[in-house]
Amino acid sequence: RTPPRQRSRAVARERGVACCSAPRHTAHAARTPLRAMAAAAEEAENAPHGPRVAADSGPSLQESAEAAAMARHEEDVEQMVQVTRYTFRPRPPHTGFPDGRPVQQVYASCKSMPREGSPLELVRVDPLDEPDVRGIISENMGWPAGLLPPSRSRLFNPEERDMWLPPEPEQVSVGLRELPVCWWEQVYTSQVKNQGGYFRVLFSELTSGW
């Protein structure tokens, strides 16, 4: 049996160990969250831009503004195209045409009908293939108004009695906006689209004069 004094010393040693161990355990427990936080911060710092992914996933406000400004600049820049231009000159001794112009110039290409939200496009259609266009041009150059429009061959190879010379073709670079609107698109917009559809216009044309 352990004597009382030794038992007291043993108890004291146990208590002393306990008193000394508790602060070390408490300090270790207190340092553990700090170490975890420091480790987490170090991992986040060393990660390959992990936290920045969300911020870099889309364009910034400055980039969006620059993109919008660039789009407006591209719209303002005139699109240039290479086309053929015909120049009709009066037959001597005439120095001008009846409409007062010294020459008549026609481009061999057209542009699309301007539409909101759609860019202009080059249409490789020669307006002089259309009889109505040839009629307008030829009347401006002295063709009798009561006659049918001249054929394309007659327009480009006039007779001696015609008031114009054969046209002079020339390859030129012009702004797309300077070209005339495609004739068929003008007809579609003015008659079909604005007057109720193709069949209504066709029926009107067929029944006119009855």
Side-chain angles (χ1 to χ4, degrees), residues 80-118:
M80 306 300 293
V81 293
Q82 294 287 332
V83 297
T84 300
R85 182 177 63 191
Y86 296 114
T87 300
F88 293 86
R89 302 186 184 277
R91 184 182 298 275
H94 302 286
T95 58
F97 290 112
D99 67 348
R101 293 190 179 97
V103 296
Q104 297 282 345
Q105 292 182 327
V106 184
Y107 294 109
S109 299
C110 306
K111 66 182 177 184
S112 59
M113 177 70 71
R115 295 182 179 85
E116 185 177 357
S118 299

Side-chain angles (χ1 to χ4, degrees), residues 161-173:
R161 56 181 176 174
D162 294 328
M163 295 182 60
W164 66 90
L165 297 174
E168 303 170 5
E170 181 184 5
Q171 290 292 324
V172 295
S173 177

Side-chain angles (χ1 to χ4, degrees), residues 12-88:
R13 284 196 301 269
E14 292 178 0
R15 290 181 179 177
V17 171
C19 292
C20 295
S21 299
R24 289 198 299 268
H25 177 73
T26 303
H28 176 73
R31 286 196 299 268
T32 300
L34 295 178
R35 292 179 179 176
M37 294 173 62
E42 185 178 358
E43 291 178 359
E45 183 67 22
N46 296 331
H49 307 291
R52 301 178 184 177
V53 173
D56 297 338
S57 59
S60 63
L61 295 178
Q62 182 178 359
E63 292 175 346
S64 300
E66 292 176 355
M70 182 63 68
R72 289 192 299 269
H73 176 71
E74 291 178 356
E75 291 178 357
D76 295 337
V77 174
E78 180 72 13
Q79 180 180 354
M80 306 300 293
V81 293
Q82 294 287 332
V83 297
T84 300
R85 182 177 63 191
Y86 296 114
T87 300
F88 293 86

